[in-house]
Amino acid sequence: MRIIHWNIKHNSDKDRIISAIRKVAGHGDTIICLQEVTPAAKDTIINGLTDYGFARRSNYAYSLDYRHPSKFDGLNRSLGVLILCSFPMYIIDSN
């Protein structure tokens, strides 16, 4: 099993990120954790990986889907963590 943890920086080249993930995907079970992911970047990355099965809802989780920014959160609260799995995963509790 491969586990990849990557702080992609919110302004990184999304095509480069997708290309790097494609190089490791498909080589057995893989879990990829990406930090500093904007909602737009999440959509771009997931759409770029549809051929690898990551676009199925059971194969990814995005932290901002579980807790949306409140009026008291700073600007960094618009950045989330995206977890991609080559196999289905389930969030048991998000509290």
Side-chain angles (χ1 to χ4, degrees), residues 31-69:
I31 299 173
I32 302 166
C33 303
L34 303 176
Q35 292 177 278
E36 292 194 24
V37 180
T38 64
K42 175 200 84 161
D43 294 338
T44 301
I45 291 167
I46 289 171
N47 290 333
L49 296 171
T50 55
D51 296 346
Y52 292 85
F54 291 115
R56 290 189 302 265
R57 188 61 187 104
S58 63
N59 290 67
Y60 73 89
Y62 183 55
S63 63
L64 296 185
D65 289 343
Y66 296 93
R67 180 178 175 268
H68 299 284

Side-chain angles (χ1 to χ4, degrees), residues 6 13-23 41 44-49 52:
W6 186 5
D13 179 354
K14 307 314 175 267
D15 291 331
R16 193 184 114 227
I17 294 164
I18 292 166
S19 176
I21 292 172
R22 285 180 174 183
K23 288 178 184 173
T44 301
I45 291 167
I46 289 171
N47 290 333
L49 296 171
Y52 292 85

